[in-house]
Amino acid sequence: MIHLNQPNKTQLDALINHRQPDWQQQHNQEKSYKEQRHRFMLKRLRLQTLIMLLAGVTIIAYFLWTNPYPEGKMQALKIGFIVEIFILICGILCKTSIGYRFPDLIFLSLCWSVTCAVQIDIALIFNNLEPRIGLWSLMFLTQATIMPVLWRMHLISQVGTIICYLLLFTIYRPILEYPINFYIEQGLYLFWTCAICVISVFLYEQLKKQEFKASKELEIAQQQSEKLLLNIFPEVIAEQLKQQHTTIANSFHEVTVLFADIVGFTELSSRISPAILVELLNKIFCLFDELAERHGVEKIKTIGDAYMAVAGLPNYHDDHAIAIANMALDMQNALTQFNQSNNQYFRIRIGISTGPVVAGVIGLKKFAYDLWGDTVNTASRMESHGIAGSIQVCQTTYALLQDKYLLEERGMIQVKGKGEMMTYLLKGNRGEGNRQ
């Protein structure tokens, strides 16, 4: 009976490295957007503070120039000084931890320091309650232009200004200088100024959210494509593919190639369902993939139930034969453990050969990184002419491994397309004894 453990993660999950759920991605994007908007607000608040200070200086200078009375000049200077000090305090707070934590409050403070504070000061000093609609509109337009985020804060600042004036009007009950139609007209202009500011900020922020989301989705897609590319090609080859459109082909003087075939798997395919068969094969090859990564070996491809890997390319290292030998021995052990866990009796036949190869990328739509040369053919023959449950190596590989590994001479065998060849069976590491 075939017994399967809990299903492995799918190949796609492995390729894109555990893709986050949609709700979590959306939460992360919202958090990232708010952080970006927070930094944007602090920068723009500092800019707005500087502009308001400069604008205040020009307005104070105008009133000093146009007011013919010394007392009036002093009172105008007093109001301007109070407002400028208030704006300067807001600007200083922008650079502190308070400003970093409460930028919304500084935003409202900057607005009301010009609209409400000026209105209150004029009422107290001059006993004048004419609505300063021109000044209010300038303030609202300035904030909507310089800081087109947080439309609710814009609305609150506008409503707060109107409420402040209505409270002053209720307390003082002044006699207005102009007919009621004048104030209705000014109020209509103010209403549409406020409405346009809030709507424009709302639309701008929605657009920025969409742009931010699109850029994040593009970034995630690029990261996933990068991971996908790195799972298909070695990192060096992936970089070459991104940077050049010419044929990628390289010669390597000496590498070690491994072919492995699961004995009995083809026969099993006639007795079990395709889904279970593929799941078994996937679990086995996932184990081999982990071993390849651990030993610094490049997986080249799988062909049915055969597995091909190479050490020593694309980045050359002189212990390529050792890396392949260690991987081959670990593949035997991994399959033994797999059989015990899944109530199976698979055996693996492995062939290894060392020598020169040519490696490159072929294909038009479905690219593949592959190897060519006599070394590849010899490794394939070492596997196909090998013994089930054994690792067969050629004479060249034997010469590189004989000092560190236990190898048994198999003798001369007839190899298709090669004639007679001396072969050896890799039994284990000398330091560990026989690993089988």
Side-chain angles (χ1 to χ4, degrees):
M1 183 181 80
I2 295 174
H3 171 72
L4 295 178
N5 292 335
Q6 186 176 0
N8 273 344
K9 60 188 177 183
T10 65
Q11 292 95 329
L12 185 58
D13 284 338
L15 289 176
I16 64 176
N17 203 16
H18 302 294
R19 182 179 181 270
Q20 292 179 330
D22 291 339
W23 67 267
Q24 190 173 356
Q25 285 192 21
Q26 185 175 0
H27 173 74
N28 291 339
Q29 287 180 4
E30 285 290 335
K31 185 178 179 181
S32 298
Y33 174 75
K34 288 179 180 179
E35 289 174 353
Q36 185 188 68
R37 185 182 64 187
H38 191 87
R39 292 192 297 269
F40 174 80
M41 279 192 67
L42 289 173
K43 290 180 181 179
R44 289 302 180 90
L45 281 172
R46 296 182 192 123
L47 175 61
Q48 182 179 344
T49 301
L50 180 61
I51 292 175
M52 290 174 65
L53 287 171
L54 294 175
V57 170
T58 61
I59 293 173
I60 293 171
Y62 170 77
F63 279 110
L64 292 175
W65 177 52
T66 57
N67 198 314
Y69 305 104
E71 183 180 352
K73 291 179 184 290
M74 288 301 299
Q75 290 173 337
L77 186 62
K78 183 188 297 183
I79 294 174
F81 180 76
I82 292 172
V83 173
E84 290 286 275
I85 288 296
F86 206 93
I87 294 172
L88 184 61
I89 291 172
C90 290
I92 294 172
L93 288 176
C94 286
K95 300 180 180 180
T96 66
S97 59
I98 296 175
Y100 184 82
R101 292 175 61 187
F102 306 108
D104 299 356
L105 295 181
I106 294 179
F107 174 88
L108 294 175
S109 299
L110 282 172
C111 179
W112 291 338
S113 67
V114 172
T115 57
C116 299
V118 170
Q119 192 75 56
I120 293 170
D121 289 342
I122 292 176
L124 293 175
I125 296 175
F126 296 103
N127 196 28
N128 185 304
L129 273 175
E130 285 295 311
R132 306 291 164 177
I133 292 177
L135 187 61
W136 300 348
S137 298
L138 177 63
M139 187 67 239
F140 300 150
L141 286 169
T142 299
Q143 286 194 311
T145 304
I146 296 176
M147 198 175 312
V149 291
L150 296 177
W151 65 271
R152 291 182 180 85
M153 287 294 105
H154 288 265
L155 183 60
I156 290 172
S157 68
Q158 296 164 6
V159 172
T161 298
I162 302 301
I163 291 175
C164 175
Y165 177 76
L166 292 177
L167 288 174
L168 289 172
F169 191 88
T170 303
I171 294 171
Y172 284 89
R173 296 184 177 277
I175 298 175
L176 298 176
E177 299 179 6
Y178 301 98
I180 190 66
N181 288 342
F182 172 82
Y183 297 104
I184 293 175
E185 180 184 353
Q186 295 300 309
L188 189 62
Y189 292 151
L190 178 64
F191 169 79
W192 280 112
T193 298
C194 294
I196 291 171
C197 287
V198 172
I199 292 172
S200 64
V201 170
F202 173 78
L203 294 176
Y204 178 86
E205 191 161 19
Q206 292 300 309
L207 178 63
K208 282 299 178 182
K209 280 184 178 180
Q210 293 173 3
E211 290 180 352
F212 184 85
K213 182 180 178 181
S215 66
K216 282 295 180 183
E217 289 176 349
L218 179 60
E219 182 181 338
I220 291 171
Q222 289 174 339
Q223 290 174 354
Q224 292 176 352
S225 298
E226 183 77 14
K227 292 174 183 175
L228 201 61
L229 198 61
L230 291 175
N231 276 277
I232 297 173
F233 300 108
E235 185 176 356
V236 175
I237 303 302
E239 288 298 322
Q240 290 181 18
L241 275 173
K242 290 188 293 183
Q243 296 174 9
Q244 67 186 60
H245 301 286
T246 57
T247 302
I248 297 176
N250 297 286
S251 297
F252 296 89
H253 177 66
E254 187 180 76
V255 299
T256 300
V257 180
L258 174 147
F259 272 89
D261 183 73
I262 302 172
V263 180
F265 206 87
T266 303
E267 179 186 352
L268 182 66
S269 64
S270 62
R271 295 188 283 108
I272 64 174
S273 70
I276 295 178
L277 181 75
V278 171
E279 186 175 353
L280 280 170
L281 189 61
N282 178 51
K283 293 177 74 173
I284 293 172
F285 281 174
C286 283
L287 293 174
F288 293 170
D289 287 348
E290 291 173 1
L291 292 175
E293 186 173 356
R294 183 189 308 169
H295 292 292
V297 171
E298 289 291 343
K299 172 187 175 182
I300 299 300
K301 60 184 175 182
T302 60
I303 308 168
D305 58 357
Y307 191 95
M308 179 184 176
V310 62
L313 64 77
N315 295 317
Y316 178 78
H317 51 92
D318 55 11
D319 61 345
H320 50 84
I322 293 174
I324 287 291
N326 289 335
M327 178 174 173
L329 292 168
D330 284 343
M331 288 169 76
Q332 287 183 326
N333 291 335
L335 191 61
T336 299
Q337 294 174 11
F338 176 85
N339 287 336
Q340 293 172 355
S341 301
N342 295 276
N343 193 27
Q344 295 298 318
Y345 305 96
F346 296 127
R347 289 184 297 170
I348 191 169
R349 186 171 56 231
I350 300 176
I352 300 174
S353 176
T354 301
V357 298
V358 173
V361 178
I362 59 172
L364 180 61
K365 293 185 177 180
K366 295 183 178 180
F367 295 112
Y369 185 66
D370 211 342
L371 309 180
W372 299 272
D374 185 64
T375 303
V376 179
N377 296 332
T378 301
S380 177
R381 295 291 184 264
M382 289 295 100
E383 178 273 312
S384 60
H385 290 71
I387 303 171
S390 296
I391 304 169
Q392 183 165 247
V393 305
C394 69
Q395 180 76 44
T396 308
T397 307
Y398 167 79
L400 296 174
L401 300 178
Q402 59 180 333
D403 293 334
K404 296 183 179 181
Y405 294 85
L406 298 173
L407 293 114
E408 178 184 298
E409 182 179 320
R410 186 185 179 191
M412 301 293 291
I413 64 170
Q414 189 68 30
V415 177
K416 181 180 178 182
K418 304 289 292 184
E420 287 193 341
M421 292 186 66
M422 175 63 73
T423 62
Y424 301 83
L425 301 179
L426 175 62
K427 293 295 185 178
N429 191 302
R430 287 187 184 276
E432 301 177 7
N434 194 331
R435 295 176 58 167
Q436 296 190 64

